[in-house]
Amino acid sequence: MSTSRNPMAPASGVSRRALLQGMAAFGAAAGLGPMRAFAQDVTTIKWWDIFQPLIPLHQKIWDEFAASHPAKVEYTPGNPSDMMQSLQLAFRSNQLPDVFNVPNGNVATVNSLQAAGWFQPLADSFIFDKPFQKEALAEGFTSFGGKPYTFPIFAIRQNSTSLWFFKAGLEAAGMDPEVGPATWDDARKAALAGTKDGKYGLILPLQFGDRMKAHFTDLAQIAGAAGEIDWKTGNYAHASQPFLDALEFLMSFQKDGSLHPGSSSVDARQGRARWVAGESLMFFDGPWNSGVLNGSFKDQIDLIGVTAQVPYPGDKSTAFTYRPPNGGTFYISSQSQHPDVATQILQMLTTDDYYVGLAERMDQPPLDPGAVERANVHPAYKKVVTGYQDYVRIAPDPLARNAAVSAVYSEMRDVTPGLGEIIQGAFSGAFSDPKPILQQYADQMSKERDRAIEVAKSKGAEVSLDNWVFDAWKPGEDFTADKY
């Protein structure tokens, strides 16, 4: 015969002190919630990122974790335009947050930071084994030395340069607000028509060099460039005709008098705020614009339309943009004392429910693109994300061919002035002919890459310029794994 009793009640002959010690030990071993009330120490995970629309989704996850673990997340939002500077200062003073994202973290930057000792691997408990997840892991992108350090939460197919507009203003300009300005000529005409009564056709975030570089590259690709590198030759292509055409298109708004004069002093967030306030008709932005509008400008979101594609200069059938395989989204700092706890929280960003929740935040599209169909999202977001499937293609990446390329990326130093600064110079009138300036930049990039290759080879890396040449690349096609 047995009797039921409260399992938390002190047993006969056991002191209260001993019981509490035992419960604390059990709680630490099991990591379960009911024990949290007795834990003396709560681990604080400091987390920095730039994903403003994701804050409610992540806060819900962090709250759920805190409810069942002796840990909490202390979150600091960052501005994309100065987040990297903040991280650099934090690294130098040994104050990096436990978890952070690298804004505009291209593979070269990430490899350079990895070589400088910024990251540490995810704990062994991390699982990422769905087919589309396993395909997203690659050495030099998410893994280093065979160990996973990070993972993507976003899809490959996306870009930063859809054209967002006020539907009423576009209709007044004689265009279909359900379609938007499809071509470069359409965009110029719409901007001119919208420039009146103290308002302008377009505002650009010229103060944000990285965002302007993204717009510039997207527009050059839609005009026919493979990207910053011509994959047929391996040469930097910044002075090629598509890049020159893209810069001429951007500057045409200034020439026409339809560019908001405040463009020279705003970053992306400031530019978006002035656009939403009605100071300009149009604004280039990525899919996350839906999430920002829904979160901060909810009264305006239904007044806004968007193009299904980056505006193109001529034939739509040849208009594509390209993205390399994904890197990761969040990294655990090498200065973190809590990698196991950080990994447990990051693991919560890999579930089906998270992907649907991510789609519903309307930031970058989720790694599982099917989640968008299952999610409750604004039609503008679905239009942009669905459109990517038609014209965004997977680009080759030297690192995917040869992991030793990471040694080159880690040696490469910034070339200044960079593309963002060159664009700013063009708008300020610092030069009238951009071709020699862009050619000089391309030559400097080539020289720096050559130097980095030699340094990497001197340290044992088996790498050459041939790793940047992809004869099998064809415009408008995915560069799939079988083409390497």
Side-chain angles (χ1 to χ4, degrees):
M1 181 178 178
S2 65
T3 57
S4 175
R5 69 176 179 85
N6 182 350
M8 306 299 281
S12 177
V14 179
S15 72
R16 176 177 174 79
R17 180 180 181 184
L19 176 63
L20 291 177
Q21 288 175 334
M23 292 169 65
F26 176 73
L32 297 177
M35 303 300 109
R36 178 171 175 262
F38 299 96
Q40 298 301 308
D41 297 319
V42 174
T43 299
T44 297
I45 298 297
K46 294 186 178 181
W47 183 306
W48 295 3
D49 70 42
I50 61 170
F51 304 117
Q52 183 181 15
L54 304 188
I55 294 175
L57 173 65
H58 287 171
Q59 188 62 58
K60 180 173 181 290
I61 288 172
W62 298 331
D63 289 346
E64 290 174 357
F65 188 83
S68 57
H69 298 76
K72 64 178 182 180
V73 171
E74 183 179 289
Y75 176 65
T76 301
N79 188 331
S81 64
D82 56 22
M83 175 77 163
M84 199 63 222
Q85 183 180 13
S86 299
L87 288 169
Q88 289 167 340
L89 291 171
F91 178 72
R92 291 171 193 152
S93 58
N94 199 34
Q95 297 183 66
L96 271 180
D98 298 277
V99 177
F100 60 95
N101 85 292
V102 180
N104 302 305
N106 59 54
V107 68
T109 299
V110 168
N111 275 269
S112 177
L113 297 178
Q114 164 63 12
W118 279 47
F119 313 132
Q120 63 177 303
L122 293 155
D124 292 342
S125 62
F126 182 70
I127 299 172
F128 203 64
D129 59 0
K130 294 184 175 70
F132 68 89
Q133 292 175 330
K134 289 193 288 187
E135 290 175 0
L137 296 180
E139 183 69 22
F141 291 85
T142 59
S143 305
F144 300 97
K147 295 182 178 179
Y149 276 66
T150 181
F151 58 93
I153 63 171
F154 300 122
I156 294 178
R157 296 182 201 277
Q158 57 172 302
N159 58 52
S160 304
T161 315
S162 296
L163 190 53
W164 300 75
F165 52 83
F166 281 95
K167 290 189 284 189
L170 202 73
E171 191 168 19
M175 294 188 184
D176 184 349
E178 298 306 317
V179 177
T183 68
W184 288 4
D185 283 346
D186 290 342
R188 287 185 70 176
K189 291 175 183 175
L192 275 171
T195 303
K196 57 184 178 182
D197 303 328
K199 299 180 180 180
Y200 293 87
L202 178 73
I203 188 165
L204 290 171
L206 290 173
Q207 272 294 312
F208 189 4
D210 283 343
R211 182 60 55 81
M212 287 307 305
K213 174 183 174 180
H215 292 332
F216 183 36
T217 305
D218 287 341
L219 290 166
Q221 288 182 341
I222 211 79
E228 291 190 67
I229 292 176
D230 178 349
W231 300 121
K232 291 293 187 183
T233 65
N235 295 328
Y236 286 97
H238 303 104
S240 63
Q241 195 58 48
F243 276 92
L244 294 172
D245 292 343
L247 186 56
E248 182 179 4
F249 168 62
L250 285 170
M251 295 195 66
S252 68
F253 297 96
Q254 186 182 55
K255 179 180 178 181
D256 293 344
S258 61
L259 182 68
H260 194 305
S263 295
S264 61
S265 61
V266 298
D267 61 20
R269 288 187 178 178
Q270 294 162 337
R272 182 187 297 112
R274 297 183 73 162
W275 163 64
V276 174
E279 295 183 25
S280 74
L281 174 62
M282 300 184 293
F283 182 66
F284 285 115
D285 210 348
W288 50 84
N289 195 34
S290 299
V292 177
L293 294 174
N294 193 54
S296 301
F297 307 98
K298 206 172 184 65
D299 292 343
Q300 303 284 51
I301 190 169
D302 289 330
L303 307 178
I304 302 298
V306 63
T307 57
Q309 184 167 350
V310 174
Y312 47 90
D315 184 0
K316 182 179 179 181
S317 67
T318 61
F320 298 93
T321 64
Y322 304 91
R323 293 267 296 191
N326 267 347
T329 308
F330 297 108
Y331 297 84
I332 300 177
S333 157
S334 60
Q335 297 169 4
S336 173
Q337 301 301 308
H338 312 292
D340 291 338
V341 177
T343 297
Q344 290 179 60
I345 299 173
L346 288 169
Q347 184 74 67
M348 298 175 78
L349 312 187
T350 66
T351 67
D352 290 341
D353 286 346
Y354 177 74
Y355 292 131
V356 171
L358 186 58
E360 292 181 344
R361 297 315 306 168
M362 296 185 285
D363 196 275
Q364 298 179 54
L367 182 64
D368 177 6
V372 177
E373 291 300 323
R374 303 194 297 273
N376 179 22
V377 299
H378 193 273
Y381 182 78
K382 183 171 286 188
K383 181 179 182 180
V384 172
V385 174
T386 302
Y388 290 148
Q389 312 309 311
D390 296 330
Y391 76 97
V392 180
R393 297 291 180 262
I394 300 172
D397 194 296
L399 190 57
R401 166 186 280 164
N402 180 7
V405 167
S406 64
V408 178
Y409 287 147
S410 66
E411 293 291 343
M412 287 186 71
R413 298 175 297 209
D414 289 341
V415 170
T416 56
L419 274 187
E421 293 161 311
I422 291 172
I423 295 167
Q424 291 166 354
F427 276 91
S428 70
F431 50 83
S432 57
D433 183 1
K435 185 168 184 177
I437 305 298
L438 289 168
Q439 186 61 60
Q440 181 184 42
Y441 176 73
D443 291 344
Q444 289 174 323
M445 287 294 296
S446 296
K447 186 177 179 180
E448 177 58 20
R449 181 179 58 183
D450 291 345
R451 185 198 64 78
I453 288 174
E454 292 307 314
V455 173
K457 289 169 67 175
S458 73
K459 296 180 179 178
E462 295 184 2
V463 62
S464 75
L465 192 58
D466 290 342
N467 293 135
W468 278 262
V469 180
F470 294 88
D471 291 331
W473 181 81
K474 293 181 179 178
E477 294 185 4
D478 283 336
F479 201 88
T480 48
D482 61 303
K483 296 179 180 177
Y484 280 93

